[in-house]
Amino acid sequence: MAKHDPTLDHVFTALGDPTRRAILTRLADGPKSVSDLAAPFDMALPSLMGHLKKLEAAGLIVSEKSGRVRSCALRPAAFAPAMDWLEAQRALWAGRLDRLDALVMTLADTKDD
Amino acid sequence: MAKHDPTLDHVFTALGDPTRRAILTRLADGPKSVSDLAAPFDMALPSLMGHLKKLEAAGLIVSEKSGRVRSCALRPAAFAPAMDWLEAQRALWAGRLDRLDALVMTLADTKDD
């Protein structure tokens, strides 16, 4: 069985929440302060901070405090394991379809003989 | 803000667990009975059934009972929203990099003038 990759657990679980996905989409445009990020959400600051913490634990964002302002930035590279896993699955299905095609061709050949 | 897509919540959350990912990888090869799926896992059947239930709720698998045997099959199409969301993020970063490139070119032009 494939080795367990705990990074994938964190990344996929972090992506499984609409607020966290919306934060990532907003950060795609460039780094933002926590208060900028909080503005469009009707949410208490501690809840938002909880989401940011999960995104940071998954490596999807980094945050940095400068004076009293904490800024968050996206880490696009951290999405790669999730993209790669999904691509690998797609390759497995494609391989299976190729084998089914080959089987159908073989059966057709046998019938022609 | 982007409309909330509850399907993405279910799909990403379902993918955030190593047992569930391993089940999906095994089903990539073709439908399997629950007992076949259970074999490589050192896990009580009710726990495995819980994972299968989450995968089915996310639409990633379908299951069907024939006599006393329940079989599970993959639904590759259900992975599409997750793949599409990740691709859309990649497009956003690419757009941002293009704008940064354009800015650097403009600054270089201004310096040349």
Side-chain angles (χ1 to χ4, degrees), chain A residues 1 4-6 8-10 12-13 15-18 20-22 24-31 40-41 74 76-77 79 82-83 85-87 89-90 92-93 96 99, chain B residues 1 4-6 8-10 12-13 15-18 20-22 24-31 40-41 74 76-77 79 82-83 85-87 89-90 92-93 96 99:
Chain A
M1 208 175 309
H4 171 210
D5 181 351
L8 280 179
D9 298 0
H10 284 116
F12 279 130
T13 304
L15 296 180
D17 178 273
R20 292 197 289 270
R21 288 196 305 277
L24 293 171
T25 301
R26 292 193 64 222
L27 288 176
D29 197 38
F41 296 109
L74 201 66
F79 290 71
M83 289 174 168
W85 187 85
L86 287 166
E87 269 312 315
Q89 298 303 302
R90 181 142 51 186
L92 289 175
W93 314 329
R96 189 187 159 211
R99 286 196 300 281
Chain B
M1 210 173 310
H4 171 212
D5 181 351
L8 280 178
D9 298 359
H10 285 115
F12 279 130
T13 303
L15 296 179
D17 178 273
R20 291 196 289 269
R21 288 196 305 276
L24 293 171
T25 301
R26 292 193 64 221
L27 288 176
D29 197 38
F41 297 109
L74 202 65
F79 290 72
M83 289 174 167
W85 187 85
L86 287 166
E87 269 312 315
Q89 298 302 302
R90 180 141 56 185
L92 288 176
W93 314 330
R96 190 187 158 209
R99 288 194 300 281

Side-chain angles (χ1 to χ4, degrees), chain A residues 17-88:
Chain A
D17 178 273
T19 303
R20 292 197 289 270
R21 288 196 305 277
I23 292 170
L24 293 171
T25 301
R26 292 193 64 222
L27 288 176
D29 197 38
K32 286 184 177 51
S33 70
V34 169
S35 45
D36 273 358
L37 281 176
F41 296 109
D42 183 19
M43 185 179 284
L45 197 61
S47 305
L48 185 84
M49 293 300 290
H51 286 305
L52 294 176
K53 213 167 159 178
K54 277 179 191 157
L55 289 171
E56 199 160 9
L60 293 165
I61 67 167
V62 282
S63 78
E64 197 180 45
K65 201 163 183 176
S66 166
R68 296 180 53 157
V69 177
R70 179 171 289 278
S71 289
C72 298
L74 201 66
R75 282 191 63 234
F79 290 71
M83 289 174 168
D84 291 349
W85 187 85
L86 287 166
E87 269 312 315

